[in-house]
Amino acid sequence: MFKNKNILIGITGGIAAYKIIELIRLYKKNNANIKVIMTENATNFVTPLTVRTLSNNPVYIKQFETDNLFPEHISLGNWADIFVIAPASANTISKIANGICDNLLTSIVCAFSKPIIIAPAMNCEMWNNPIIKENIKKLEKLNYNILYPEAGFLACGTSGVGRLCPIEQICEKTYEKLKYKNKKLSNKKIIITAGGTRENIDPVRFLGNYSSGKMGVALADAAYDSGAEVVLINTFNHKSNYKTITVSSAIEMQAALAKEKQNADCIIMAAAVADFRAKKIQKHKIKKESTDDNFTIELTRNPDILTELCKTKSNNQIIVGFCAESENLLENAKSKIQKKQCDYIVANDVSRKDIGFASDENEVYIIDKNLKIMKLDKTSKKIIAEKILEFIYGEN
Ligand code: CTP
């Protein structure tokens, strides 16, 4: 996620400083290079030794203490791709907003032209102070990325808004800001299917499933952001800057794919396609009186769109399936990639409430043809989508 990226962290004096220890670990786990500046006050809350050990780098505290040829506020600034100030105290926020540079951290901010993220944490009365509010507004106008604090129980014993936002949110914002949009998919056509198909029974009823289409849309957005020509075949209406075709049933989805697939470099079947449809769609609403207590609808099998695509795919086309399971996730996923003969399968556990259908987050495994498995830890569907594309196009 952060391979070859240099993240500079600024820790100021606040009890939430202890949470930054976990943030450093999270960044490191995702391959970032980390250097940390602490204000003198921050050292009252966490020890520089802990920070140094976890970041694998010296910790910078005083402004004028090394024999470095370059002043630290210039060399650290040059080194960093992004500067993340967390927790940002009311004092540091106000200094930055007023151009004061009386310590290493604020001096670096003053000379830094790359993205800066500020994650404030403080007592709720301080947060509500109109001067602090003004300063935050001013910073936002100047393109600083503010991650607003959350409401909750505060270390000072009161409740209110002032708690540091979750470290995962800081990590995601960092990723978003660093994501280099060099349009690396600019010569690719990528088709993505999304949503759950609806198989009509009569004019008012259908067979459906819980798919929200969010994962497919996240993939389409990510592919578009990377410069690909995107076609999203979705069962929901979705406004976007790329081509979107709205379909309802599996048969309609298959027909839309048939029209679009010829010159596609990659097809990602994120849609939850119904395996069966009503054998006969009733022209008029089925009336209660016309049925008995054990009413039966005769179903017929839908085509397996993914399997058919794989049978007829051109040599360099990449075809990706999804696999939603409520049990035996990896075994089922492995058997599906072998049965359907796609290039990759993305497996997720839909029995979990915190990920999958309708959720904004996901945790998936990507499996390739050699049954090599890669886990993408739980994060937003947006980041999962970016990572899936990076994986397919050899960036992991
Ligand atoms: N799929 C498809 N056509 C179908 C059913 C599924 O193209 N008629 C695709 C889905 O879009 C997904 C993959 O196949 O990419 C796996 O879908 P899933 O519902 O997990 O598996 P099924 O093949 O339907 O098997 P089962 O329902 O037994 O789990």
Side-chain angles (χ1 to χ4, degrees), residues 193-195 197 199 209 250 253-254 257 268-276 301-309 319-326 332 336 339-340 342 344-346 348:
T193 64
T197 61
E199 309 297 337
N209 59 65
M253 184 170 278
Q254 192 179 36
L257 275 160
I268 306 179
M269 287 291 301
V273 184
D275 291 323
F276 290 91
R301 196 178 286 281
N302 264 333
D304 188 315
I305 305 174
L306 179 61
T307 305
E308 295 306 316
L309 284 173
I319 301 197
V320 184
F322 264 68
C323 166
E325 300 291 342
S326 57
N332 283 329
K336 267 182 200 170
K339 235 192 283 164
K340 301 194 184 221
C342 48
Y344 301 96
I345 203 137
V346 180
N348 70 316

Short mmCIF file of all heavy atoms in Angstrom, two decimals, residues 193-195 197 199 209 250 253-254 257 268-276 301-309 319-326 332 336 339-340 342 344-346 348, ligand 1:
data_model
loop_
_atom_site.label_atom_id
_atom_site.label_comp_id
_atom_site.label_asym_id
_atom_site.label_seq_id
_atom_site.Cartn_x
_atom_site.Cartn_y
_atom_site.Cartn_z
N THR A 193 -19.17 -5.81 -13.72
CA THR A 193 -20.59 -5.98 -13.45
C THR A 193 -20.82 -5.77 -11.95
O THR A 193 -19.94 -6.07 -11.14
CB THR A 193 -21.10 -7.38 -13.84
OG1 THR A 193 -20.44 -8.36 -13.03
CG2 THR A 193 -20.85 -7.68 -15.31
N ALA A 194 -21.99 -5.24 -11.62
CA ALA A 194 -22.25 -4.92 -10.21
C ALA A 194 -23.72 -5.13 -9.86
O ALA A 194 -24.59 -5.04 -10.73
CB ALA A 194 -21.86 -3.47 -9.94
N GLY A 195 -23.96 -5.38 -8.59
CA GLY A 195 -25.34 -5.50 -8.11
C GLY A 195 -25.88 -6.91 -8.21
O GLY A 195 -25.22 -7.80 -8.75
N THR A 197 -28.79 -9.49 -9.63
CA THR A 197 -29.79 -9.51 -10.71
C THR A 197 -31.18 -9.69 -10.11
O THR A 197 -31.36 -10.25 -9.02
CB THR A 197 -29.50 -10.64 -11.72
OG1 THR A 197 -29.56 -11.88 -11.05
CG2 THR A 197 -28.16 -10.45 -12.38
N GLU A 199 -34.80 -11.27 -11.11
CA GLU A 199 -35.43 -12.19 -12.05
C GLU A 199 -36.95 -12.09 -11.86
O GLU A 199 -37.48 -12.52 -10.83
CB GLU A 199 -34.94 -13.63 -11.79
CG GLU A 199 -33.43 -13.77 -11.73
CD GLU A 199 -32.71 -13.42 -13.03
OE1 GLU A 199 -33.35 -13.50 -14.10
OE2 GLU A 199 -31.51 -13.06 -12.97
N ASN A 209 -31.40 -10.75 -4.64
CA ASN A 209 -30.48 -11.03 -3.53
C ASN A 209 -30.03 -9.72 -2.90
O ASN A 209 -30.40 -8.65 -3.35
CB ASN A 209 -29.29 -11.87 -4.01
CG ASN A 209 -28.51 -11.19 -5.10
OD1 ASN A 209 -27.91 -10.14 -4.89
ND2 ASN A 209 -28.54 -11.76 -6.31
N ALA A 250 -30.19 -11.70 -15.29
CA ALA A 250 -28.94 -12.34 -15.73
C ALA A 250 -28.86 -12.35 -17.26
O ALA A 250 -27.81 -12.12 -17.84
CB ALA A 250 -28.89 -13.77 -15.19
N MET A 253 -27.90 -9.03 -18.46
CA MET A 253 -26.49 -8.77 -18.14
C MET A 253 -25.59 -9.48 -19.15
O MET A 253 -24.62 -8.92 -19.67
CB MET A 253 -26.19 -9.25 -16.71
CG MET A 253 -24.77 -8.94 -16.27
SD MET A 253 -24.55 -9.26 -14.50
CE MET A 253 -25.21 -7.78 -13.78
N GLN A 254 -25.96 -10.70 -19.47
CA GLN A 254 -25.16 -11.47 -20.43
C GLN A 254 -25.19 -10.80 -21.82
O GLN A 254 -24.17 -10.72 -22.50
CB GLN A 254 -25.69 -12.90 -20.52
CG GLN A 254 -24.76 -13.82 -21.26
CD GLN A 254 -25.28 -15.25 -21.33
OE1 GLN A 254 -26.49 -15.47 -21.45
NE2 GLN A 254 -24.38 -16.21 -21.23
N LEU A 257 -22.97 -7.75 -21.81
CA LEU A 257 -21.56 -8.17 -21.85
C LEU A 257 -21.16 -8.60 -23.26
O LEU A 257 -20.08 -8.28 -23.73
CB LEU A 257 -21.33 -9.32 -20.87
CG LEU A 257 -21.04 -8.89 -19.43
CD1 LEU A 257 -21.30 -10.02 -18.46
CD2 LEU A 257 -19.60 -8.39 -19.28
N ILE A 268 -14.53 -7.93 -14.93
CA ILE A 268 -14.62 -8.30 -13.51
C ILE A 268 -16.09 -8.53 -13.17
O ILE A 268 -16.91 -7.61 -13.24
CB ILE A 268 -14.04 -7.19 -12.61
CG1 ILE A 268 -12.60 -6.85 -13.04
CG2 ILE A 268 -14.08 -7.61 -11.14
CD1 ILE A 268 -11.94 -5.76 -12.23
N MET A 269 -16.41 -9.77 -12.84
CA MET A 269 -17.80 -10.12 -12.53
C MET A 269 -18.05 -9.98 -11.03
O MET A 269 -18.05 -10.95 -10.29
CB MET A 269 -18.07 -11.57 -12.96
CG MET A 269 -18.18 -11.79 -14.46
SD MET A 269 -19.65 -11.07 -15.23
CE MET A 269 -20.96 -11.88 -14.34
N ALA A 270 -18.29 -8.74 -10.60
CA ALA A 270 -18.58 -8.53 -9.17
C ALA A 270 -20.07 -8.71 -8.88
O ALA A 270 -20.47 -8.72 -7.72
CB ALA A 270 -18.12 -7.13 -8.77
N ALA A 271 -20.87 -8.83 -9.93
CA ALA A 271 -22.33 -8.95 -9.72
C ALA A 271 -22.69 -10.27 -9.06
O ALA A 271 -22.02 -11.29 -9.26
CB ALA A 271 -23.04 -8.83 -11.06
N ALA A 272 -23.76 -10.23 -8.29
CA ALA A 272 -24.32 -11.46 -7.73
C ALA A 272 -25.43 -11.90 -8.68
O ALA A 272 -26.53 -11.32 -8.70
CB ALA A 272 -24.88 -11.21 -6.34
N VAL A 273 -25.10 -12.86 -9.51
CA VAL A 273 -26.03 -13.28 -10.57
C VAL A 273 -26.89 -14.42 -10.04
O VAL A 273 -26.37 -15.40 -9.49
CB VAL A 273 -25.23 -13.76 -11.81
CG1 VAL A 273 -26.18 -14.12 -12.95
CG2 VAL A 273 -24.23 -12.70 -12.26
N ALA A 274 -28.20 -14.30 -10.25
CA ALA A 274 -29.09 -15.37 -9.78
C ALA A 274 -28.86 -16.62 -10.62
O ALA A 274 -28.70 -16.54 -11.84
CB ALA A 274 -30.54 -14.91 -9.92
N ASP A 275 -28.82 -17.75 -9.96
CA ASP A 275 -28.58 -19.00 -10.68
C ASP A 275 -29.85 -19.50 -11.40
O ASP A 275 -29.76 -20.29 -12.31
CB ASP A 275 -28.07 -20.07 -9.72
CG ASP A 275 -26.68 -19.74 -9.23
OD1 ASP A 275 -25.89 -19.21 -10.04
OD2 ASP A 275 -26.38 -19.97 -8.04
N PHE A 276 -31.01 -19.01 -10.93
CA PHE A 276 -32.27 -19.46 -11.54
C PHE A 276 -33.18 -18.28 -11.83
O PHE A 276 -33.08 -17.24 -11.19
CB PHE A 276 -33.00 -20.43 -10.59
CG PHE A 276 -32.30 -21.74 -10.44
CD1 PHE A 276 -31.36 -21.93 -9.44
CD2 PHE A 276 -32.56 -22.78 -11.33
CE1 PHE A 276 -30.70 -23.14 -9.30
CE2 PHE A 276 -31.90 -23.99 -11.21
CZ PHE A 276 -30.97 -24.18 -10.19
N ARG A 301 -32.67 -22.84 -14.97
CA ARG A 301 -31.31 -22.38 -14.67
C ARG A 301 -30.89 -21.22 -15.57
O ARG A 301 -31.16 -21.24 -16.77
CB ARG A 301 -30.33 -23.56 -14.86
CG ARG A 301 -28.99 -23.32 -14.21
CD ARG A 301 -28.09 -24.52 -14.38
NE ARG A 301 -28.45 -25.64 -13.54
CZ ARG A 301 -28.15 -25.73 -12.24
NH1 ARG A 301 -27.53 -24.75 -11.64
NH2 ARG A 301 -28.49 -26.80 -11.56
N ASN A 302 -30.25 -20.23 -14.97
CA ASN A 302 -29.67 -19.14 -15.74
C ASN A 302 -28.34 -19.60 -16.32
O ASN A 302 -27.70 -20.50 -15.76
CB ASN A 302 -29.41 -17.94 -14.81
CG ASN A 302 -30.54 -16.94 -14.86
OD1 ASN A 302 -31.26 -16.82 -15.85
ND2 ASN A 302 -30.70 -16.20 -13.77
N PRO A 303 -27.89 -18.96 -17.37
CA PRO A 303 -26.54 -19.30 -17.85
C PRO A 303 -25.53 -18.89 -16.78
O PRO A 303 -25.77 -17.92 -16.04
CB PRO A 303 -26.38 -18.42 -19.10
CG PRO A 303 -27.40 -17.33 -18.96
CD PRO A 303 -28.53 -17.91 -18.16
N ASP A 304 -24.42 -19.60 -16.70
CA ASP A 304 -23.33 -19.14 -15.83
C ASP A 304 -22.49 -18.20 -16.69
O ASP A 304 -21.68 -18.63 -17.52
CB ASP A 304 -22.50 -20.32 -15.31
CG ASP A 304 -21.51 -19.87 -14.26
OD1 ASP A 304 -20.85 -18.83 -14.47
OD2 ASP A 304 -21.39 -20.55 -13.22
N ILE A 305 -22.72 -16.92 -16.51
CA ILE A 305 -22.11 -15.91 -17.40
C ILE A 305 -20.59 -15.99 -17.34
O ILE A 305 -19.91 -15.98 -18.36
CB ILE A 305 -22.58 -14.49 -17.00
CG1 ILE A 305 -24.11 -14.41 -16.99
CG2 ILE A 305 -22.00 -13.45 -17.95
CD1 ILE A 305 -24.66 -13.09 -16.48
N LEU A 306 -20.07 -16.10 -16.13
CA LEU A 306 -18.61 -16.12 -15.95
C LEU A 306 -17.98 -17.31 -16.67
O LEU A 306 -17.00 -17.17 -17.40
CB LEU A 306 -18.30 -16.16 -14.44
CG LEU A 306 -16.84 -16.22 -14.03
CD1 LEU A 306 -16.08 -14.99 -14.52
CD2 LEU A 306 -16.72 -16.30 -12.50
N THR A 307 -18.58 -18.49 -16.49
CA THR A 307 -18.04 -19.68 -17.14
C THR A 307 -18.05 -19.52 -18.65
O THR A 307 -17.08 -19.84 -19.34
CB THR A 307 -18.85 -20.93 -16.72
OG1 THR A 307 -18.85 -20.98 -15.30
CG2 THR A 307 -18.27 -22.20 -17.28
N GLU A 308 -19.15 -18.98 -19.17
CA GLU A 308 -19.25 -18.79 -20.63
C GLU A 308 -18.21 -17.79 -21.12
O GLU A 308 -17.59 -18.00 -22.16
CB GLU A 308 -20.66 -18.30 -21.01
CG GLU A 308 -21.78 -19.32 -20.74
CD GLU A 308 -21.51 -20.68 -21.38
OE1 GLU A 308 -21.09 -20.70 -22.55
OE2 GLU A 308 -21.72 -21.71 -20.71
N LEU A 309 -18.00 -16.71 -20.34
CA LEU A 309 -16.99 -15.70 -20.73
C LEU A 309 -15.61 -16.34 -20.80
O LEU A 309 -14.83 -16.06 -21.71
CB LEU A 309 -16.94 -14.56 -19.70
CG LEU A 309 -18.06 -13.52 -19.72
CD1 LEU A 309 -17.91 -12.59 -18.51
CD2 LEU A 309 -18.00 -12.71 -21.00
N ILE A 319 -9.97 -12.34 -16.87
CA ILE A 319 -11.34 -12.45 -16.35
C ILE A 319 -11.31 -12.76 -14.85
O ILE A 319 -10.62 -13.68 -14.41
CB ILE A 319 -12.15 -13.50 -17.13
CG1 ILE A 319 -12.16 -13.06 -18.61
CG2 ILE A 319 -13.57 -13.60 -16.58
CD1 ILE A 319 -13.17 -13.67 -19.48
N VAL A 320 -12.04 -11.94 -14.12
CA VAL A 320 -12.02 -12.05 -12.66
C VAL A 320 -13.43 -12.37 -12.16
O VAL A 320 -14.39 -11.69 -12.53
CB VAL A 320 -11.56 -10.70 -12.02
CG1 VAL A 320 -11.44 -10.83 -10.50
CG2 VAL A 320 -10.24 -10.23 -12.64
N GLY A 321 -13.53 -13.38 -11.34
CA GLY A 321 -14.81 -13.71 -10.75
C GLY A 321 -14.84 -13.29 -9.29
O GLY A 321 -13.79 -13.04 -8.68
N PHE A 322 -16.00 -13.21 -8.74
CA PHE A 322 -16.16 -12.99 -7.30
C PHE A 322 -16.79 -14.23 -6.72
O PHE A 322 -17.44 -15.01 -7.43
CB PHE A 322 -17.04 -11.76 -7.04
CG PHE A 322 -16.25 -10.51 -6.80
CD1 PHE A 322 -15.51 -9.94 -7.83
CD2 PHE A 322 -16.21 -9.91 -5.54
CE1 PHE A 322 -14.76 -8.79 -7.61
CE2 PHE A 322 -15.47 -8.77 -5.31
CZ PHE A 322 -14.73 -8.20 -6.35
N CYS A 323 -16.63 -14.41 -5.44
CA CYS A 323 -17.17 -15.61 -4.83
C CYS A 323 -17.68 -15.22 -3.44
O CYS A 323 -16.90 -14.85 -2.56
CB CYS A 323 -16.03 -16.62 -4.77
SG CYS A 323 -16.31 -18.01 -3.73
N ALA A 324 -18.99 -15.21 -3.31
CA ALA A 324 -19.59 -14.84 -2.04
C ALA A 324 -20.01 -16.12 -1.33
O ALA A 324 -20.80 -16.89 -1.86
CB ALA A 324 -20.81 -13.96 -2.31
N GLU A 325 -19.45 -16.33 -0.16
CA GLU A 325 -19.75 -17.58 0.55
C GLU A 325 -20.14 -17.28 2.00
O GLU A 325 -19.69 -16.28 2.58
CB GLU A 325 -18.51 -18.49 0.57
CG GLU A 325 -18.01 -18.90 -0.80
CD GLU A 325 -18.94 -19.84 -1.54
OE1 GLU A 325 -19.82 -20.46 -0.91
OE2 GLU A 325 -18.80 -19.95 -2.78
N SER A 326 -20.92 -18.18 2.57
CA SER A 326 -21.25 -18.02 3.98
C SER A 326 -20.55 -19.09 4.82
O SER A 326 -20.65 -19.10 6.05
CB SER A 326 -22.77 -18.09 4.18
OG SER A 326 -23.25 -19.30 3.67
N ASN A 332 -14.31 -23.28 -1.15
CA ASN A 332 -15.28 -23.02 -2.22
C ASN A 332 -14.68 -22.14 -3.30
O ASN A 332 -14.92 -22.34 -4.50
CB ASN A 332 -16.53 -22.35 -1.65
CG ASN A 332 -17.43 -23.36 -0.94
OD1 ASN A 332 -17.47 -24.52 -1.31
ND2 ASN A 332 -18.13 -22.91 0.09
N LYS A 336 -14.19 -22.99 -7.19
CA LYS A 336 -14.86 -22.16 -8.22
C LYS A 336 -13.89 -21.70 -9.30
O LYS A 336 -14.22 -21.70 -10.48
CB LYS A 336 -15.53 -20.94 -7.57
CG LYS A 336 -16.98 -21.22 -7.22
CD LYS A 336 -17.70 -20.05 -6.64
CE LYS A 336 -18.93 -20.57 -5.89
NZ LYS A 336 -19.60 -19.59 -5.09
N LYS A 339 -13.33 -24.61 -11.51
CA LYS A 339 -14.50 -24.97 -12.30
C LYS A 339 -14.77 -23.95 -13.40
O LYS A 339 -15.04 -24.28 -14.54
CB LYS A 339 -15.73 -25.05 -11.38
CG LYS A 339 -16.42 -26.41 -11.48
CD LYS A 339 -17.77 -26.42 -10.82
CE LYS A 339 -17.68 -26.49 -9.30
NZ LYS A 339 -18.86 -26.15 -8.57
N LYS A 340 -14.67 -22.68 -13.02
CA LYS A 340 -15.06 -21.63 -13.98
C LYS A 340 -13.91 -21.21 -14.88
O LYS A 340 -14.12 -20.54 -15.88
CB LYS A 340 -15.61 -20.42 -13.21
CG LYS A 340 -16.83 -20.80 -12.36
CD LYS A 340 -17.60 -19.61 -11.87
CE LYS A 340 -18.73 -20.05 -10.96
NZ LYS A 340 -19.97 -19.32 -11.18
N CYS A 342 -11.54 -18.97 -14.48
CA CYS A 342 -11.21 -17.54 -14.61
C CYS A 342 -9.77 -17.32 -14.13
O CYS A 342 -9.14 -18.23 -13.59
CB CYS A 342 -12.20 -16.67 -13.85
SG CYS A 342 -12.53 -17.21 -12.18
N TYR A 344 -8.62 -14.93 -11.96
CA TYR A 344 -8.57 -14.66 -10.52
C TYR A 344 -9.96 -14.80 -9.95
O TYR A 344 -10.95 -14.59 -10.64
CB TYR A 344 -8.13 -13.21 -10.22
CG TYR A 344 -6.78 -12.86 -10.77
CD1 TYR A 344 -6.66 -12.22 -12.00
CD2 TYR A 344 -5.62 -13.15 -10.05
CE1 TYR A 344 -5.41 -11.89 -12.51
CE2 TYR A 344 -4.37 -12.83 -10.55
CZ TYR A 344 -4.27 -12.20 -11.79
OH TYR A 344 -3.05 -11.88 -12.29
N ILE A 345 -10.02 -15.12 -8.67
CA ILE A 345 -11.31 -15.07 -7.99
C ILE A 345 -11.12 -14.27 -6.70
O ILE A 345 -10.10 -14.39 -6.02
CB ILE A 345 -11.91 -16.47 -7.77
CG1 ILE A 345 -13.43 -16.38 -7.61
CG2 ILE A 345 -11.33 -17.18 -6.55
CD1 ILE A 345 -14.19 -17.44 -8.34
N VAL A 346 -12.08 -13.41 -6.43
CA VAL A 346 -12.03 -12.60 -5.21
C VAL A 346 -13.09 -13.16 -4.27
O VAL A 346 -14.28 -13.17 -4.61
CB VAL A 346 -12.33 -11.11 -5.53
CG1 VAL A 346 -12.28 -10.27 -4.26
CG2 VAL A 346 -11.35 -10.58 -6.57
N ASN A 348 -15.18 -13.40 -0.70
CA ASN A 348 -15.51 -12.74 0.57
C ASN A 348 -16.62 -13.46 1.32
O ASN A 348 -17.45 -14.14 0.72
CB ASN A 348 -15.80 -11.25 0.40
CG ASN A 348 -17.09 -10.97 -0.32
OD1 ASN A 348 -17.37 -11.61 -1.31
ND2 ASN A 348 -17.85 -10.04 0.18
N1 CTP B 1 -21.83 -15.94 -11.84
C1 CTP B 1 -22.20 -15.82 -13.17
N2 CTP B 1 -23.37 -16.37 -13.58
C2 CTP B 1 -24.15 -17.06 -12.72
C3 CTP B 1 -23.78 -17.19 -11.36
C4 CTP B 1 -22.62 -16.61 -10.96
O1 CTP B 1 -21.48 -15.21 -13.94
N3 CTP B 1 -25.28 -17.59 -13.15
C5 CTP B 1 -20.55 -15.36 -11.44
C6 CTP B 1 -20.65 -14.27 -10.39
O2 CTP B 1 -20.74 -12.99 -11.00
C7 CTP B 1 -19.34 -14.41 -9.65
C8 CTP B 1 -19.04 -15.89 -9.75
O3 CTP B 1 -19.80 -16.37 -10.85
O4 CTP B 1 -18.31 -13.71 -10.26
C9 CTP B 1 -19.39 -16.72 -8.53
O5 CTP B 1 -20.73 -16.47 -8.15
P1 CTP B 1 -21.34 -17.21 -6.89
O6 CTP B 1 -22.76 -16.78 -6.76
O7 CTP B 1 -20.43 -17.05 -5.72
O8 CTP B 1 -21.22 -18.74 -7.31
P2 CTP B 1 -22.13 -19.68 -8.14
O9 CTP B 1 -21.37 -20.08 -9.36
O10 CTP B 1 -23.47 -19.10 -8.37
O11 CTP B 1 -22.19 -20.95 -7.19
P3 CTP B 1 -23.02 -21.15 -5.82
O12 CTP B 1 -24.26 -20.32 -5.95
O13 CTP B 1 -23.28 -22.61 -5.79
O14 CTP B 1 -22.10 -20.70 -4.71
#
